[in-house]
Amino acid sequence: MKTKLLFTLALLTCITTSIAQDNCSKFYPMNEGVSMEYTNYNKKGKVEGVSSYKVVEAINNGNVTNATMAIDLKDNKGKDAYSTTYNLTCTGNMVTLDYESLLPSEMMEQYGDMDIEISGNDIEIPNDLSVGQKLNDANVAMKISMSGINMNMTVDMTNRNVEKKESISTPAGTYDCYVLYSENRSKMMMANQVYPSRVWLAEGVGMVKQETYKKNGDLMSSTLLTAHSK
């Protein structure tokens, strides 16, 4: 369960920085059928899997856009490893993501007989990013009760800021990006770990690159945009 929720957190950053609407954000022109492909690498640069993202529905209602994205992950052998859908909301100058929609349906089915409580604060990506800008923290908390025993897990995304601008090249093209930094702290039972992260975000495209590090700054994993179709 911990592995699935942490994997969901990794997807979270990709999703939130990849979805927006023409009339509410400049970072991704959302239309049904738009798709992205991201290749995931380990710390040595070896391919660990490929994630496919596709906007399957976008509904406009006044100044609010509700979107659904389907995500499929294949492992390094091309076998299906994970699939889910996410619901997002774009309003005015902000894209937000509902944390409850991040929990994989198969996980909820597995623990369907248990009492589960979920709470949190959405990740926000504003329209007017600038170098040095501080962004709001985000978090999700999950409490599971089983046979009178409570198990708690929290994930906090803190110290979010726009670190710099940088041009980056990938197999999908060359992009001028904002670099967003954050520290992701996960706590489950007595385990408490911190994973700093950077996301390269391009206007009109979304996430181009992501790197996750150990607390000491050593690279743990990375994700790169390898295909993009409007």
Side-chain angles (χ1 to χ4, degrees), residues 47-50 74-80:
V47 174
E48 289 196 325
V50 175
K74 295 184 182 296
D75 62 20
N76 58 359
K77 296 181 180 179
K79 295 182 178 180
D80 293 333

Side-chain angles (χ1 to χ4, degrees), residues 62-181:
N63 67 338
V64 178
T65 298
N66 295 304
T68 301
M69 172 171 274
I71 302 173
D72 295 294
L73 172 67
K74 295 184 182 296
D75 62 20
N76 58 359
K77 296 181 180 179
K79 295 182 178 180
D80 293 333
Y82 182 90
S83 296
T84 191
T85 59
Y86 292 86
N87 300 316
L88 302 100
T89 300
C90 182
T91 305
N93 191 42
M94 194 78 65
V95 177
T96 62
L97 186 145
D98 179 0
Y99 269 97
E100 289 193 35
S101 68
L102 290 174
L103 297 175
S105 58
E106 61 266 32
M107 184 178 77
M108 300 304 292
E109 291 173 2
Q110 181 179 357
Y111 295 94
D113 295 333
M114 302 178 186
D115 184 17
I116 302 176
E117 297 180 13
I118 305 164
S119 60
N121 295 315
D122 297 339
I123 284 184
E124 298 177 341
I125 300 293
N127 211 17
D128 53 350
L129 293 181
S130 60
V131 175
Q133 181 179 2
K134 304 297 183 182
L135 304 177
N136 291 337
D137 292 345
N139 76 291
V140 61
M142 187 171 178
K143 179 181 178 181
I144 299 177
S145 299
M146 46 187 175
S147 302
I149 300 176
N150 293 328
M151 181 170 62
N152 299 299
M153 179 174 184
T154 60
V155 178
D156 296 302
M157 184 177 288
T158 63
N159 295 328
R160 300 179 65 221
N161 65 84
V162 184
E163 197 173 53
K164 59 183 177 179
K165 291 195 73 174
E166 184 175 77
S167 179
I168 186 170
S169 296
T170 81
T174 299
Y175 307 96
D176 292 325
C177 301
Y178 287 97
V179 182
L180 277 59
Y181 174 84

Side-chain angles (χ1 to χ4, degrees), residues 37 168-175 177 207-209 223-227:
E37 177 191 87
I168 186 170
S169 296
T170 81
T174 299
Y175 307 96
C177 301
M207 194 191 81
V208 173
K209 181 181 178 180
T223 300
L224 198 65
L225 178 68
T226 46

